[in-house]
Amino acid sequence: MHRLTAILSLAFLAGCLAPDRIAYGPKVATVAGIDGFRDIRTYADVGREQADQRPWLPVTKNKEINYLALSSGGGAGAFSVGALKAWSAAGTRPQFDIVSGVSTGALIAPYAFLGSAYDKTLTDLYTSGVAETLVDADFLPKGLFGASLLKQQPLRTMVERYLTRDVLAKIAAEHRKGRRLLILTSNLDSQRAVIWNMGAIADSGRPDALKLFQDVIIASASIPGVYPAVLIKARSGERAFEEMHSDGGAVSQILTIPEGWMAGPDKDEWRKGRRFNMYILINNALMPEFSTTTNNTFVVMARANSTLIKSQTRSALLATYLYAQKNGIRFHVGSIDMQVPYKMADPFNTHYMRVLYSLGYAKMASGHLWQDKPLFTENLAAAQPSGQEQ
């Protein structure tokens, strides 16, 4: 009873300390846009009735369309980075026509989009130890009474350091060629998944394009409660207000085919006569991972959340797989297939991230990464991967 009272008191105090926001309603939210930008975002539950699909669909003369989807997973994003590095080393990595990212996948996606030349940047981000600066242990007790457990500034500093105007210009150039970079955030006000057309933002020519680009990446990577949500200025008619955007993983762990498209009629005229290859990198384990759970409030909550994420990922993969089977899409998924020791209090531990980087590299290099269907129960034994190229 005392613990429940304490939790309720903390929630009340946090609410008292939260800054006021400009109120707006659901009708206003539905038609809201970002001042000066066009065709830069849509809701995932909107179908093909969207007025102009051209800025969202890849334009290519090739017979193949290659789509890379990068999942959420925090520090485990190192798994995808290792896989991409080995793919480059093998000389078989395609130039992706579409790249999407959610949460940690949003941090990786711009560089995966630009290609192998940025493998070193990604490797530094996920294995050099720079990620450990994202956790400020001294702020944790104070965070209980504020907007989040951790401060946003270390994450923003890292994003601003790596996502520069030069990177933005290169993404804009690729967008003009017909390639597409998509990032998912959660609009916490509307409880809807928002897909952002990052190439269109980069190619807008607006002086505030870099700031919006960075804000979207930071929002998608901001784990709810751990990092503060990002307030993005929006407008509906004469009304100006701020939308609250957070971790894309709150609405979906992966961005493949938007749910509105899956539920709509099959009219994919744009890919007739082309082979569609979909590659999905999951920065999580899909199989059950046994662990004796301590009977502690926060440990139980964290364990339940981990189970929910695993279940959500499986459901999204199954929906994508069934859609792919129905529409002739060549489905490939790669995921972590062994238990790797992990401490919730140290989510960006450098050793942990290097182990997962090595695992991703080894699986890709050995030709054992891709599966042509979701598998959820193989390789249940805990093990440590051997060291690979760093």
Side-chain angles (χ1 to χ4, degrees), residues 143-164:
L144 290 171
F145 299 95
S148 60
L149 292 175
L150 298 176
K151 290 184 285 189
Q152 185 190 84
Q153 192 54 50
L155 176 59
R156 181 169 290 280
T157 298
M158 187 179 79
V159 168
E160 290 176 351
R161 174 186 171 189
Y162 284 91
L163 287 175
T164 62

Side-chain angles (χ1 to χ4, degrees), residues 212-236:
L212 178 60
F213 193 102
Q214 293 168 341
D215 280 348
V216 171
I217 296 291
I218 293 167
S220 184
S222 293
I223 304 166
V226 178
Y227 290 102
V230 176
L231 295 174
I232 295 179
K233 292 179 180 179
R235 178 175 292 275
S236 180

Side-chain angles (χ1 to χ4, degrees), residues 87-110:
W87 206 349
S88 296
T92 57
R93 176 174 161 182
Q95 181 184 72
F96 301 107
D97 301 288
I98 315 172
V99 176
S100 72
V102 180
S103 197
T104 194
L107 295 172
I108 301 168

Side-chain angles (χ1 to χ4, degrees), residues 276-354:
F276 194 151
N277 304 306
M278 181 176 290
Y279 300 95
I280 307 171
L281 283 171
I282 303 294
N283 298 303
N284 201 345
L286 298 176
M287 77 285 182
E289 297 174 280
F290 182 85
S291 176
T292 303
T293 306
T294 304
N295 195 10
N296 169 278
T297 301
F298 294 106
V299 173
V300 170
M301 289 171 62
R303 183 66 172 172
N305 184 63
S306 173
T307 304
L308 176 63
I309 289 172
K310 196 183 295 285
S311 175
Q312 186 190 53
T313 307
R314 289 179 175 188
S315 296
L317 277 174
L318 283 172
T320 300
Y321 175 71
L322 292 173
Y323 183 89
Q325 290 290 294
K326 181 181 177 182
N327 290 277
I329 298 172
R330 302 170 75 188
F331 179 95
H332 310 272
V333 61
S335 64
I336 298 169
D337 65 352
M338 58 173 45
Q339 287 187 241
V340 179
Y342 173 82
K343 293 181 180 179
M344 290 180 293
D346 192 11
F348 301 109
N349 178 275
T350 301
H351 174 72
Y352 166 74
M353 294 172 73
R354 287 175 178 172

Side-chain angles (χ1 to χ4, degrees), residues 40 114 323 366:
I40 64 162
L114 290 177
Y323 183 89
S366 65

Side-chain angles (χ1 to χ4, degrees), residues 200-275:
I201 294 174
D203 194 37
S204 67
R206 291 184 55 85
D208 52 348
L210 180 61
K211 173 67 162 53
L212 178 60
F213 193 102
Q214 293 168 341
D215 280 348
V216 171
I217 296 291
I218 293 167
S220 184
S222 293
I223 304 166
V226 178
Y227 290 102
V230 176
L231 295 174
I232 295 179
K233 292 179 180 179
R235 178 175 292 275
S236 180
E238 297 300 315
R239 297 194 60 183
F241 49 90
E242 291 178 319
E243 299 172 341
M244 181 175 282
H245 289 260
S246 187
D247 187 0
V251 285
S252 181
Q253 300 300 308
I254 52 173
L255 172 57
T256 54
I257 306 298
E259 60 196 61
W261 280 54
M262 285 190 185
D266 299 325
K267 293 182 180 178
D268 287 350
E269 299 290 333
W270 59 276
R271 62 181 182 88
K272 271 192 173 179
R274 296 187 177 99
R275 289 196 302 177

